[in-house]
Each structure stands twice: as C-alpha cells, then as structure tokens.
Amino acid sequence: MIFERVKPLDAILATAEKKGLHRSLGAFQLTMLGVGAVIGTGIFVLTSEAAQKAGPGMMISFIIAGFVCAVAALCYSELASMVPVAGSAYTYTYAVMGELLAWMVGWALILEYAVGASAVAVGWSGYFVGLLNNSLGITIPTAFAVGPSQGGIINVPAVVISGLVTGLLILGTTESARVNAILVAVKVTALTLFIALTVPVLKSDQFIPFVPNGWGTIGVVGAASSIFFAYVGFDAVSTAAEETKNPQRNVPIGLIGSLLICTIFYLLVSAGAIGTLGAQPVRALDGSVLSPGTPELAARCAQIVASGVTEPLSCSKEALAHVLRSIGWVKIGNLIGLAAFIALPSVVLMMMFGQTRIFFVMARDGLLPEKLASVHPRFKTPHIVTVFTGIVVMLASAFLPVGKLADYSNSGTLFAFAMVAVSVLVLRRKDPTRKRPFRTPLVGVVAPLAILGCVGLYLNLPLIAILVLPAW
C-alpha cells in the first residue's frame, strides 16, 4: 500500500541536500520570525472574544494555551534539530508515522497556515477600515469591507494585503525576514507602550469576579481554545529549518525564545486591559451568557453603546486601541491602532511562508504534483506554490469572518501539534541511538502532556470547528 510507506530520516536529509533551499537565517532572525508570526491577530483582535468567554479569567486562558504550546515546542525542537529541513510536522510525521498520517498532517497544516493567514488578513482589514474612518474620514462601503456573513459582498482590503504579501514572498526569504524584523519592532513597541500606560493604573476590583462563566466551553478553557490562535505561528520557525545556518542550535533557540517572549507580553497586556477598562462578559437582558461572534451579542453591544455607556471590551473590534482611548490616551490609542495596521501583515507573511514550505516539501515527496516544487531561477524561492497559496488565502479572506477562520485554523493546528508529540515518543522507541542535538527533557511527561493538552483544547472548540477537521 502506497500510504504505508515511511520515508527514512537519512533519505529526508539526503533529498534536502540535493534539492534544497538557501541557508541564510540565524538565531536572532528565527526568534524575530517566531515573534512576528505569533504576536498579531490573537492579541490585537481576539482579546475581545476571550473577554466574552472568560472575563478576567482570560489571563489563565493565555497561560493554558501557552503551556500547551510550550510542551509542543519542546517536542518540535527535538525533531527540528534532528531533521533540519522544511516541512515542519508533515516531515516529522512522514519519517516516523508513515505516508498516510503525513498526508493528513500536511492538509491539517493548510488549515493552520493558509486559513490562519486569511484570519489575520481579515483582522488587518478591520483595523485598516477603522483607521481610514477615524483618521481621514474615509468610509469604505460595507459591501467591500466585510464578507457575506457580516452583511457585505467581499472583503477587498483583506484580498489586497494577501496579494501584496504573496509578491513579497516570491522575492525571497532574506528580504521577507528583513521587512518582518521592522514590523516586529513596531508591534513590540506598541505593546510595550500599552503595558506602560495601563499596568500602573489598573484597579484590583476590575478582576472580580475572576471567572464569571466558569471553566467550560463558554469559560476559561473555551477561551484558551479560541485564543490558542494567539500562539499559532511559533512552529513556522521549524518550517524555516532548511534555510537556517546551524539549525541544530538555532531552531530550538528560535522556537522557545519566541514563545517565552510572547507569553510574557500576553499576560502583561491582558492584565492592563482588564485592570483599566474591565473585561466582564456582556450578558443578555435575562442574564444569560451570549456567545462571541453572534448577532445577539452584536445587538446587545449596540444597545449598551446607545445608552451612553463606554463600549465593553467584549464588543470592541480593536480592543487595545479602545482601552487606551477609554482611559484618556486617545492619540496613543490611535497610534496603537496604526501599529496593528502596520504590523499585522508580518503575521500574514509568516503564515504564508510556513504554508508554502509545507506544500514545497509535499511536492518534493511526490504527494503533490512535482511542478509545485519548482524553485525560481532568480529569486531561489518556490514561486509556483507561493502563488497558489496566495490565491487560496485571498479567496478565504474575501468571504469569511475572522472568528470562524481562527477556530478552523486552531483545529488543524492542534491535530498537527499532537502528531509531533506522538512522533517524538515513537522515534525514541524506534531509533533511540540516533543523534539528537536537542533532547526533549522528561519526554515521558512532556510529550503526553502535549498530546492531552491538544486534544483537550480541540474538544473545547465550537462544534463546527471540531467538525471541520475530520470533514477536511
């Protein structure tokens, strides 16, 4: 049976040497790529959804999601240091679990990267439309600012930014990394400024009650499942292993370093938002919990704003900018919105970067048409697969809303992460003597925790997102 084949690690490494990509990235660039891929829509856009599900308890949600990512990152680091080639979870699964599961993981990663890139593009579009309206008085008609599910026809700004990023990726990896480093600096500066202005003035009574909706699907764990998207992208570092100098040392540094930086930022930012504006969930008139992203919540938010009360955090589409404006820092709030507008394209870039490398390796292995593995003679990038990915991202971002895209992306990501953890355990048993430049510490504890964590978060996604993965 064709799908029972396993591609030996030595064969994977040999193939990469024969038909490989140029090695140009160091540890600092990898860490910046990781931070650039992670910090984005999750913290700038999905904070509102987390507040509606978990209230102030979203701080615990960030810790839960970050912990699951950390144990998965330790598993990723071992495999990425052993197999420093493009392909991420797909390549590792092919080497250990066989072709059928590798094929499944490859397509699950499309949910993670391509659908995730679409979600970020839609999030960016919201900031762009708001920025034009608030700063220049230019209003983009609803028909061309959002998709059909939100009353529009097509999300034109999301399509445009997806197309621009596709062009940049075709130009080359090093050029993309340089642009990304500048955008990362903008994001980190904006979040640092937000923390400096909000944390010193937070009020402890805003944190009570801390867990208003409990711990279930509409609660702390459910919020962790949704804002897991805030961490998606750190594994894009491992997809760049084949383009990294000294990958045995630099890939683990990039993975764990970027994850640590992002977790600290998220906790401080969420504390500042909760402690200044408050983050209690918006409830219906009868006191029942309203699910995020529903017409009922939108209608209730409109009622609250019409009554003259400050818009709750759960209702805002630009959460961090809204918090600063609400506490008197109007101009700086607008600057935070501008920073998100400038910097979110770096997340689209990294997600599409990861996706093109997955496709590249699947084509190189013969699981997709070999033509897709063509490398541009001048730019040395997989240009055909980059164009194809760009078209997929543009179509998804044109018609679907950000919340659904994020949840669909999470379902694919959690499956891929769980398979990496399984692969580490299997490979330790099948090939214990192979050189491991980075060894997952306490692998008998860490890998099962990663598997259980991924399964637990997956089961707390909305039902339609749970069903997307097996249907896909």
Side-chain angles (χ1 to χ4, degrees):
M1 281 284 291
I2 181 173
F3 282 128
E4 291 178 357
R5 292 185 306 190
V6 172
K7 188 169 186 182
L9 291 180
D10 294 323
I12 290 172
L13 294 169
T15 304
E17 288 302 318
K18 279 189 230 169
K19 194 174 182 180
L21 300 167
H22 179 58
R23 294 189 184 274
S24 61
L25 305 175
F28 176 75
Q29 281 178 307
L30 277 182
T31 303
M32 289 300 99
L33 286 175
V35 173
V38 172
I39 294 180
T41 303
I43 193 68
F44 281 106
V45 179
L46 296 179
T47 306
S48 301
E49 183 161 331
Q52 181 60 17
K53 283 189 176 182
M58 70 174 168
M59 292 186 70
I60 302 175
S61 303
F62 276 116
I63 293 172
I64 292 171
F67 175 77
V68 173
C69 278
V71 287
L74 291 170
C75 297
Y76 256 101
S77 295
E78 176 169 321
L79 291 177
S81 68
M82 292 172 67
V83 193
V85 298
S88 184
Y90 159 77
T91 299
Y92 312 147
T93 306
Y94 201 167
V96 180
M97 308 294 287
E99 199 166 66
L100 176 59
L101 282 172
W103 170 256
M104 291 168 64
V105 167
W107 286 101
L109 287 171
I110 296 172
L111 281 178
E112 175 184 349
Y113 288 123
V115 178
S118 303
V120 180
V122 174
W124 176 87
S125 173
Y127 272 97
F128 176 71
V129 171
L131 194 66
L132 283 182
N133 192 23
N134 292 326
S135 301
L136 302 175
I138 299 172
T139 302
I140 296 180
T142 301
F144 303 109
V146 293
S149 65
Q150 295 170 293
I153 298 173
I154 182 173
N155 193 327
V156 174
V159 172
V160 171
I161 195 63
S162 302
L164 290 174
V165 169
T166 301
L168 183 61
L169 279 171
I170 291 171
L171 290 178
T173 303
T174 305
E175 290 76 8
S176 302
R178 286 173 184 157
V179 171
N180 183 72
I182 296 169
L183 297 179
V184 170
V186 170
K187 282 190 289 196
V188 170
T189 301
L191 292 182
T192 303
L193 185 59
F194 179 88
I195 292 165
L197 293 175
T198 56
V199 171
V201 296
L202 59 80
K203 302 180 181 69
S204 59
D205 59 343
Q206 297 280 29
F207 291 83
I208 302 170
F210 192 66
V211 185
N213 291 342
W215 296 84
T217 303
I218 300 294
V220 171
V221 180
S225 298
S226 292
I227 60 173
F228 185 79
F229 188 77
Y231 290 97
V232 169
F234 80 88
D235 58 311
V237 172
S238 68
T239 70
E242 196 171 327
E243 293 158 88
T244 300
K245 294 176 284 189
N246 191 9
Q248 286 79 6
R249 169 186 174 272
N250 291 335
V251 170
I253 291 174
L255 277 167
I256 295 168
S258 59
L259 195 61
L260 186 63
I261 291 169
C262 294
T263 302
I264 292 169
F265 264 112
Y266 287 176
L267 288 175
L268 290 172
V269 167
S270 57
I274 296 163
T276 49
L277 183 61
Q280 295 301 325
V282 173
R283 297 183 180 275
L285 293 174
D286 62 3
S288 60
V289 178
L290 295 169
S291 297
T294 58
E296 292 79 13
L297 177 61
R300 182 70 183 120
C301 286
Q303 288 176 352
I304 292 171
V305 173
S307 70
V309 178
T310 301
E311 184 179 33
L313 186 64
S314 299
C315 298
S316 176
K317 289 184 174 60
E318 41 179 352
L320 305 190
H322 175 56
V323 168
L324 288 180
R325 292 189 194 112
S326 300
I327 61 172
W329 297 100
V330 177
K331 289 184 178 178
I332 296 179
N334 290 336
L335 283 177
I336 295 288
L338 179 63
F341 156 75
I342 293 171
L344 285 182
S346 72
V347 190
V348 182
L349 186 150
M350 273 315 301
M351 293 214 168
M352 288 182 64
F353 174 91
Q355 176 57 60
T356 58
R357 272 49 184 178
I358 301 295
F359 268 145
F360 175 78
V361 180
M362 289 179 75
R364 193 167 65 184
D365 288 339
L367 296 183
L368 289 173
E370 190 178 354
K371 183 69 175 172
L372 291 176
S374 301
V375 175
H376 194 282
R378 179 181 170 193
F379 301 124
K380 307 298 182 190
T381 54
H383 60 296
I384 294 176
V385 78
T386 300
V387 170
F388 177 75
T389 302
I391 292 170
V392 171
V393 171
M394 283 188 274
L395 287 172
S397 63
F399 302 113
L400 294 171
V402 64
K404 287 183 180 177
L405 287 167
D407 284 335
Y408 300 164
S409 176
N410 285 347
S411 67
T413 308
L414 290 164
F415 175 70
F417 285 10
M419 290 308 302
V420 167
V422 170
S423 296
V424 167
L425 289 174
V426 172
L427 197 58
R428 283 285 185 102
R429 184 176 290 271
K430 284 174 60 176
D431 196 357
T433 59
R434 180 174 288 274
K435 183 184 176 186
R436 289 169 169 80
F438 178 89
R439 293 180 69 88
T440 303
L442 299 171
V443 70
V445 176
V446 169
L449 278 176
I451 297 165
L452 290 172
C454 289
V455 172
L457 291 181
Y458 171 72
L459 293 176
N460 278 280
L461 285 168
L463 179 60
I464 189 167
I466 291 175
L467 297 175
V468 159
L469 180 65
W472 182 263

